Amino acid sequence: MSDSVPALLVKVGRFPQLHGGLGVVRTLGRMGVPAYAMVEDRFTPVALSRHLAGRFVRPTTGAEDTSELVSLLLRTGREIGRPTVAVAEGDEAAVLLAENADRLAEWFVLPPVPPTLPRRVASKEGLHRICEEHGVPTPRTRSPVDRAELVAVSREWGFPVVLKDREPFTKLNDSAMGHTTVVHDEEELLARCGAAESPSVIVQEHIALDIAEEWFTHLYCGAGGIPRLVFTGHKFRSWPPRSGLTTRAWARRNTVLATLAAELCRAIGYCGIADLDWRFDRRDGRYKLIDFNPRFGQQFRLFNTAQGLDVVRAMYLDLTERHISEGSQIHGRGFIVGNLDAVSATVTAWRDRRLPAPLPRRNLERAWVSRDDPVPAVAEAVRFSGTVARRLTKPLRLRMAGSWGGPGNTGPHDGDSPDTGPQHADSHETIPHRADSHETGPSNTGPHKAGSAPLGPLLPRKGAAP
């Protein structure tokens, strides 16, 4: 399908070890769509996929001016050379595309979402207000103005409480949390917030999993908020355990939840792909909305219709004015992020002092491993091994750094991390390639230099929710 409208995976921030972007490239590439991606460097798992038509090395941090990021996208569009469907990876990319749709329309095809809506739903404070306006159940949520109010609210509700970054983009360049964080006492609360007098966080009631279940809905909504595809799934494990990225999940029928999600999107006029996280609270029998992500969820490939449609394919077909075939969700499919699920299962087993229950291995969508695209899994294994090694050796390296001493000499740096070091947006490299040929286009001007950064968590911080 060489005449197909191309698609571009748009990324703001540095998170090369997340698997959702690879799922986008694979699902569109298998349709015959020329799929391009913005990547942090030439050797990210996505950059090595055989389904990729071309990669654009565009390292960003999220701290750049909006005009700089828009110029970067327009430059990328010109290099592709024809109108392109943009697929946002991360809340920040979704906000950037929506708020600058008029400027980007020269080269990009985008859902007609109200420009301010993605920022509102991605904002934890904004989402809470939307839920109140439309009668959607949600955990108790407060946006404290300072540390004193944060402590007071936490004492009033009782620990543990949940802390989240308040707005999109703060997760990338001014993050207090980095990801959803369960805080168990006041000492941990103050340590998490650091010295900031007014930390940019919201505090949320903690609904423990011994009285709740974790569910999620993935949707594609057309113009006017009309739901075209609605999927429901049950989260079984995550990393970090109980509050992070989905590592094991199942596609389950849940008509009540599907109706809740569809009615909310219709009511607010949301258009595009959405990933909504819910907790079923057994105390009152209600599903409570935790997060509304205005982009694909990392586990979106869990879901398919009998006609082979997922939310990314549905959006592509709709934006290119092609027919979206009617079809119901295939239930019983599983999804696994093998490396992180193994860590999560091990930590959970150690904490609970019992072995994890055996799980089905059939009908399982794997985040990394694919028979028709094996190289990205190898690339991720190498990066993941390096991340684990840095974490395990960090105490030793810190002790060695301290032993150097002396004024103005803090010893050797804590090692440039290939996955967490910030990159400036004006260091660009475009390397189009196809699976059946050698790379073409502009050649390298030299080795890519990673910025110096402290060691990150087991998975680098990201601008995307679980």
Side-chain angles (χ1 to χ4, degrees), residues 1-5 27-35 313 316 434:
M1 297 175 65
S2 60
D3 59 339
S4 294
V5 176
T27 194
L28 292 177
R30 288 165 182 158
M31 286 177 67
V33 175
R313 288 185 174 187
Y316 177 86
R434 297 201 65 83

Side-chain angles (χ1 to χ4, degrees), residues 249 375 391 434:
V375 177
R391 286 294 304 274
R434 297 201 65 83

